[in-house]
Amino acid sequence: QVQLVESGGGSVQAGGSLRISCAASGSDAERTSMAWFRQAAGKEREGVAVITIDGGRTNYATSVKGRFTISQDNAKKMIYLQMNSLKPEDTAMYYCAAGRMYSPSRWGDRNWYNYWGQGTQVTVSS
């Protein structure tokens, strides 16, 4: 079992920055890959970024590439998402997810992940 708790969300103006965090606890064997997803009101949940725990491989959604950076601190079992140059369309609930495996082609599929946090809200105003 893995437990995930997100923090760090809030409100920011367009062009600003925010860092959100995910604290993991439980079995490391159950979280080979860690991802951030987001869900805006009335929209499907979409993958934002993923990182592998063993080697730090990363992937990003096209919409955030160059603006967002996913990172980890394995000693603390923390995952971070640094978000720069934020846009109003980045407004969403952001969720941390853990998966038992990593797939470069399926990382953005929510069904790939076994554990989810409760989410943290990010609001970007214009």
Side-chain angles (χ1 to χ4, degrees):
Q1 291 288 324
V2 174
Q3 294 77 43
L4 303 171
V5 179
E6 301 94 336
S7 62
S11 297
V12 64
Q13 288 193 324
S17 297
L18 203 60
R19 188 180 82 157
I20 56 178
S21 303
C22 173
S25 59
S27 171
D28 287 346
E30 294 284 292
R31 56 182 201 96
T32 297
S33 61
M34 297 288 297
W36 286 100
F37 279 71
R38 66 185 180 186
Q39 187 165 16
K43 294 189 176 181
E44 294 290 316
R45 192 171 296 190
E46 63 173 352
V48 175
V50 66
I51 190 166
T52 58
I53 298 303
D54 59 354
R57 286 170 289 177
T58 59
N59 267 308
Y60 295 90
T62 301
S63 59
V64 307
K65 202 170 291 185
R67 299 189 298 123
F68 291 11
T69 303
I70 189 170
S71 62
Q72 62 187 354
D73 183 333
N74 282 341
K76 297 180 179 179
K77 292 190 177 183
M78 296 291 294
I79 301 294
Y80 306 99
L81 187 68
Q82 177 67 44
M83 302 180 289
N84 298 328
S85 302
L86 281 161
K87 305 175 181 179
E89 51 263 43
D90 294 318
T91 295
M93 184 73 78
Y94 283 71
Y95 298 91
C96 181
R100 299 187 182 104
M101 295 181 290
Y102 169 71
S103 168
S105 60
R106 294 193 59 187
W107 72 267
D109 180 353
R110 63 180 296 180
N111 296 308
W112 188 251
Y113 297 88
N114 309 98
Y115 304 97
W116 292 85
Q118 294 300 307
T120 186
Q121 178 68 37
V122 172
T123 302
V124 184
S125 58
S126 57

